[in-house]
């Protein structure tokens, strides 16, 4: 996957994040959480939180886009996130990048 495609995916995702945050009245202390997940976990997150932004990506791109988004938003990486590699993404079928806010559970 070339850098231009990854950059475009990152920009589109960040654009969706900012628009959704604005539409739903996020405050300065409202922070997006990000997860690389498969289809079942994506559905669980979408049922548990509102709003969510879930985008399916190619396995070659999803990890790089995830890292770029976390970096651009100045968010630190957890131990689990640091240990992710392309092999794990492919074998665990983690092809969705999902953003959600823990302070906004669906009721």
């Amino acid at each position: 996957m070339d850098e231009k495609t990854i950059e475009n995916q990152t920009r589109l995702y960040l654009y969706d994040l900012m628009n959704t945050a604005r539409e739903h009245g996020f405050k300065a202390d409202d922070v997006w959480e990000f997860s690389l997940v498969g289809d079942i976990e994506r559905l669980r997150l979408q049922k548990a939180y509102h709003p969510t932004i879930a985008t399916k990506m190619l396995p070659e791109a999803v990890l790089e886009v995830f890292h770029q988004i976390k970096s651009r938003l100045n968010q630190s990486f957890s131990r689990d996130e640091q240990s992710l590699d392309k092999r794990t993404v492919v074998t665990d079928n983690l092809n969705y990048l999902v953003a959600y806010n823990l302070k906004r559970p669906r009721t």
Side-chain angles (χ1 to χ4, degrees):
M1 182 122 307
D2 67 346
E3 286 295 316
K4 189 173 182 179
T5 304
I6 291 172
E7 179 65 23
N8 287 338
Q9 289 275 337
T10 303
R11 285 182 184 204
L12 282 172
Y13 200 83
L14 286 170
Y15 180 79
D16 286 343
L17 282 176
M18 297 309 136
N19 280 343
T20 302
R22 196 170 313 128
E23 288 173 12
H24 292 276
F26 275 38
K27 295 178 175 59
D29 63 337
D30 287 336
V31 179
W32 288 106
E33 299 290 327
F34 298 96
S35 293
L36 286 177
V37 296
D39 198 42
I40 294 170
E41 183 66 12
R42 174 190 59 89
L43 290 172
R44 189 193 69 75
L45 288 171
Q46 287 179 319
K47 287 180 183 177
Y49 299 100
H50 181 75
T52 58
I53 299 174
T55 303
K56 186 173 185 176
M57 296 181 200
L58 294 172
E60 310 85 60
V62 70
L63 187 60
E64 189 64 33
V65 170
F66 173 70
H67 284 290
Q68 285 190 17
I69 287 172
K70 295 272 289 187
S71 296
R72 289 184 187 184
L73 295 177
N74 296 321
Q75 292 186 355
S76 60
F77 292 91
S78 70
R79 219 175 265 254
D80 291 337
E81 292 170 347
Q82 288 176 346
S83 67
L84 284 173
D85 60 2
K86 288 185 181 184
R87 177 182 291 153
T88 306
V89 169
V90 172
T91 56
D92 292 349
N93 203 22
L94 307 176
N95 52 358
Y96 285 93
L97 178 56
V98 180
Y100 56 96
N101 187 301
L102 293 173
K103 293 181 181 178
R104 295 177 178 249
R106 210 178 267 270
T107 54

